[in-house]
Amino acid sequence: MSWNNDNIPEIDFDYDDSQMKSVMAQISATLDKNNFGDAGAKLRNMTAQASYNGERAVNKMAEQTTNEVRDLMRERQYRQKSYHPGIKAFDHKANNQHMVDRLKDHVDGNKHRIYSDITNGGYNYSQAFEFGLLTRRYPAHHPFQDAATHLGINQLNGVLDAEVDEAIKRGFDV
C-alpha cells in the first residue's frame, strides 16, 4: 500500500426517508381534502413515528458497529513482548492505542461515517492497521472488514435493512 491516505477504512450508514415522508404527506393531504375525518392526521403521526423509529434503528446499528470495531482493534493491537504494565513504554500510548481512542461515529444528519482519524506524520494509521504494511512486516488486522462481516452490514438486504424495516413497521402499527 502506498504512503497516502487513499485507503482510510470506514463504514458508512445513510438513512434517507424523504421520499416516504413526501408520499405520505401527499396521501394525508388527499385524505384531509376528501373529508376522511382524522385519517390524514393519524397517517402523519404514524409517518413521523416510523421515521423516528427508522432513524433510531440506524443510530443503534452505527453504535453497535462502532463498538464492534473498537473491540476488535483493542483485541488485535500489536504488542511487543516487553510491553506490559510497569515499564515506561506501557504508559506512553502507541499509535494503535490512539487509533482506538479516536475511532468515532461522525454523524451528519442521517449519515454516519465510522472511522479513526489518527495520523502519524500526516499518514492515517488506521490504514496500516486494517490492511497491513508489507514493507514493514506489519500484519493486516481487518477490524472494519471483520466487524461489517460479523454484524452482517456488508450484505445487500442484510441486518441493517431488516432492522430499519421492522422499525418502520412498528411506526405504522396502531
Side-chain angles (χ1 to χ4, degrees), residues 95-113:
N95 285 332
N96 54 355
Q97 290 168 306
H98 284 298
M99 179 181 62
V100 172
D101 295 342
R102 299 288 297 266
L103 175 70
K104 291 188 177 49
D105 177 9
H106 303 267
V107 181
D108 180 20
N110 287 336
K111 184 173 176 70
H112 296 262
R113 295 179 61 217

Side-chain angles (χ1 to χ4, degrees), residues 8 10-13 62 66 104-108 111-116:
I8 298 173
E10 72 178 50
I11 297 175
D12 296 338
F13 293 106
T66 304
K104 291 188 177 49
D105 177 9
H106 303 267
V107 181
D108 180 20
K111 184 173 176 70
H112 296 262
R113 295 179 61 217
I114 301 167
Y115 64 93
S116 181

